[in-house]
Amino acid sequence: EDRLRSLEDRRASAVATLNEALGRDVAAALPWPVGLDSPAWQPPSPEEVRTQIGTANPELRSLDHRVQATARRVEVEGKQGLPDFRVGVETILTGESELTSFEGQGRDAWIATVAISLPLWRGQYRGAQDEARASARMLEFEVRQMRNSLDVEAERTLFALRDAERRADLYGNSLLPKARQALEATARAFQTGDASFLEFMDAQRTLLMFQLDQARARADHGQRVLEIARLMGSAPIETPTTIPNEEESR
């Protein structure tokens, strides 16, 4: 009961944290989960996860766009030191005049211009291009480093996902049924005087511990599913399979 009251007191803090992440008023009401009976999700193979991360991860895609922008900058800086040719044509609308009279009066005048701009400070342009190339190489290194970091994070998360599913199955199909049987046997023995009150309480404590551990495993599974989905840049695909839920923990 003491642990339950402590967890219930943390509810207000958890709701405020989630509201802040959602951009809502921290005191706004937030629906509370009714249980952990969400469908299990079987992730793709590690190779498919890495492929999906490489094409859809939001952070990696953002960095890829920066790489493309830097490549354009290198191209632009490379053209800054080239001669600039400009050709222009202008016209002057004259119209007829009643005050003067001469040959060609009233015809519009046309002016053709040709200009050549020769860059003199070649070193400055080369320096800007070298700087752009260096920025591009640095971003390419950051992309490789981020890909490696995301792959490592995916491997760790996939392991944690499998471990949570294994623990949920262990508690749901093995430990909880046995703990319940042990509690029933101890309760009968206590009623007949063949077991002490401490033994009866210990059996209850063991069952409660296994129930809490199963709930923790199922919560861990759900969190790891969302972490994999975040890394892959997509929503998790639910399957009809469910995580073993021997009973709802109280």
Side-chain angles (χ1 to χ4, degrees):
E1 289 177 353
D2 177 68
R3 292 178 63 183
L4 180 60
R5 285 195 297 268
S6 297
L7 291 172
E8 289 174 344
D9 288 340
R10 290 173 54 187
R11 175 172 178 170
S13 175
V15 169
T17 302
L18 289 172
N19 280 329
E20 180 186 13
L22 295 171
R24 293 156 40 102
D25 182 4
V26 295
L30 193 66
W32 197 249
V34 295
L36 296 171
D37 294 326
S38 58
W41 178 71
Q42 297 299 328
S45 65
E47 293 76 16
E48 293 174 328
V49 170
R50 284 193 293 268
T51 300
Q52 181 72 9
I53 288 175
T55 57
N57 180 266
E59 299 176 40
L60 198 56
R61 290 185 63 184
S62 175
L63 198 54
D64 285 336
H65 286 304
R66 290 177 56 192
V67 171
Q68 296 175 11
T70 305
R72 294 290 184 270
R73 180 187 167 198
V74 172
E75 183 180 351
V76 170
E77 294 294 348
K79 295 180 178 179
Q80 292 294 330
L82 300 178
D84 186 16
F85 297 90
R86 292 190 299 273
V87 178
V89 178
E90 299 179 11
T91 182
I92 301 177
L93 303 178
T94 58
E96 298 287 345
S97 175
E98 298 178 354
L99 301 177
T100 60
S101 177
F102 55 87
E103 184 180 359
Q105 176 187 344
R107 290 191 299 180
D108 297 335
W110 293 85
I111 304 174
T113 60
V114 177
I116 301 177
S117 176
L118 298 176
L120 299 179
W121 308 104
R122 305 283 298 180
Q124 179 180 357
Y125 297 124
R126 285 195 297 267
Q129 189 176 19
D130 292 340
E131 179 185 0
R133 288 198 184 99
S135 298
R137 288 194 298 269
M138 181 183 68
L139 284 175
E140 290 173 357
F141 173 78
E142 289 184 14
V143 168
R144 291 194 299 270
Q145 186 179 32
M146 179 173 288
R147 286 180 184 273
N148 293 335
S149 298
L150 291 173
D151 287 343
V152 171
E153 185 178 358
E155 289 290 346
R156 286 199 298 259
T157 307
L158 286 172
F159 165 76
L161 178 68
R162 293 189 298 267
D163 181 68
E165 188 171 4
R166 177 191 58 79
R167 287 186 288 116
D169 179 76
L170 174 65
Y171 288 110
N173 295 330
S174 179
L175 296 182
L176 274 173
K178 293 178 179 178
R180 182 169 291 100
Q181 292 173 2
L183 176 60
E184 293 173 354
T186 306
R188 289 193 297 268
F190 175 68
Q191 291 172 353
T192 59
D194 295 330
S196 66
F197 177 73
L198 292 180
E199 291 173 327
F200 178 54
M201 289 296 298
D202 185 64
Q204 286 185 321
R205 185 184 303 110
T206 299
L207 176 60
L208 175 61
M209 181 185 66
F210 286 165
Q211 290 173 332
L212 293 174
D213 288 342
Q214 185 204 32
R216 180 69 267 170
R218 289 159 57 203
D220 288 344
H221 183 276
Q223 292 173 346
R224 302 298 87 76
V225 165
L226 294 179
E227 287 181 8
I228 289 293
R230 175 186 63 82
L231 291 173
M232 296 174 60
S234 61
I237 302 174
E238 296 180 348
T239 65
T241 307
T242 58
I243 301 176
N245 178 21
E246 197 271 344
E247 79 166 0
E248 187 69 31
S249 299
R250 297 300 181 211

